[in-house]
Amino acid sequence: MNAPKASWSFQTTSLERSFIWSLAITALPVITGFLVSWVIARWSGPSVVGTVSWVMSFATTLLILAKFGLDLATSRLASEYGVNSPGKLRALFRAGFGLRAALTFVVSFSALAFAPWIASFFNDPDLTAPVRVGAVIVVCASFYEFKENFLIGLNRLKTVYKVRSLHLSLRIVLTTMLVVTGAGATKILGGYCIAWVIAIVAYSILLYRFLPVSDSLAGPDDHIGRLVRMSLALA
């Protein structure tokens, strides 16, 4: 007889263990950012590292509009449902991700459409291609962060640490390979996107595999309404 399929709800862990995992998760991007910036600055020069830094800052600014507080709202509701109604987690994830995807695509497509104008505004036509890559980065980072925060809401910090380690290790490796081959800022940023996509796929597989099966007896819940109201407060 087959063993029952394991599923994820809210994971209860000690305060000390949660603190250690949170500290490790926070430290990873700091260390990676230093290493990647050093590699680019050392072998590609100040112009390339300047463009990469500018595009990442530009994408981060656009992400403020794409997030609209949805990641934090969904994460908080995931904690609530993970404890009280695990059977509603899949419905919550679909509702939150649908809203996040809609906002993200609006912001990303706007950046793509206005890329020449944005480059002209900064008096640098060569920024058109990097801005367009920045629009792709918005999609990658938005989807990645949403799924990551959903798992953080379930207190699955060890899993988040593993996937984030995979993502950032790939970024270091791909960046180093591209820099060695003499790639410019646009291709380096494309390597960032590849690392994000692989991590997004990893999160998607884990969420599909381990989120509890939807409970048809749990009753209806206004997921979208609750998300919107909470997002407005957190945006």
Side-chain angles (χ1 to χ4, degrees), residues 58 62 65 103-118 131 135:
F58 174 72
L62 294 181
L65 300 175
L103 287 171
T104 298
F105 283 132
V106 168
V107 173
S108 180
F109 288 152
S110 298
L112 281 172
F114 288 100
W117 181 86
I118 294 170
V131 167

Side-chain angles (χ1 to χ4, degrees), residues 113-138:
F114 288 100
W117 181 86
I118 294 170
S120 176
F121 177 81
F122 288 98
N123 297 314
D124 188 355
D126 292 337
L127 279 178
T128 301
V131 167
R132 287 173 174 158
V133 177
V136 177
I137 287 174
V138 169

Side-chain angles (χ1 to χ4, degrees), residues 83-194:
V83 174
N84 300 321
S85 305
K88 296 181 179 180
L89 284 171
R90 286 185 183 268
L92 172 66
F93 178 82
R94 288 193 296 269
F97 188 74
L99 290 172
R100 181 65 171 263
L103 287 171
T104 298
F105 283 132
V106 168
V107 173
S108 180
F109 288 152
S110 298
L112 281 172
F114 288 100
W117 181 86
I118 294 170
S120 176
F121 177 81
F122 288 98
N123 297 314
D124 188 355
D126 292 337
L127 279 178
T128 301
V131 167
R132 287 173 174 158
V133 177
V136 177
I137 287 174
V138 169
V139 176
C140 294
S142 181
F143 288 5
Y144 170 84
E145 289 182 8
F146 180 86
K147 296 183 178 188
E148 186 171 77
N149 278 291
F150 194 87
L151 286 178
I152 289 175
L154 295 176
N155 203 33
R156 299 285 167 173
L157 301 181
K158 184 177 180 179
T159 300
V160 170
Y161 174 81
K162 290 179 178 179
V163 178
R164 184 175 281 195
S165 296
L166 169 67
H167 165 225
L168 296 178
S169 296
L170 284 170
R171 179 182 292 189
I172 293 172
V173 171
L174 290 171
T175 299
T176 302
M177 291 173 59
L178 289 166
V179 167
V180 168
T181 60
T186 302
K187 290 184 178 180
I188 291 173
L189 291 166
Y192 284 19
C193 292
I194 292 172

Side-chain angles (χ1 to χ4, degrees), residues 34-50 179 188:
F34 170 78
L35 292 175
V36 167
S37 296
W38 179 79
V39 169
I40 298 173
R42 176 66 178 80
W43 283 284
S44 294
S47 177
V48 173
V49 75
V179 167
I188 291 173

Side-chain angles (χ1 to χ4, degrees), residues 20 25 32 43 51 55 62 101 108 114 179 181 205 222 233:
I20 291 171
I25 290 169
T32 302
W43 283 284
T51 301
V55 172
L62 294 181
S108 180
F114 288 100
V179 167
T181 60
I205 293 172
D222 183 17

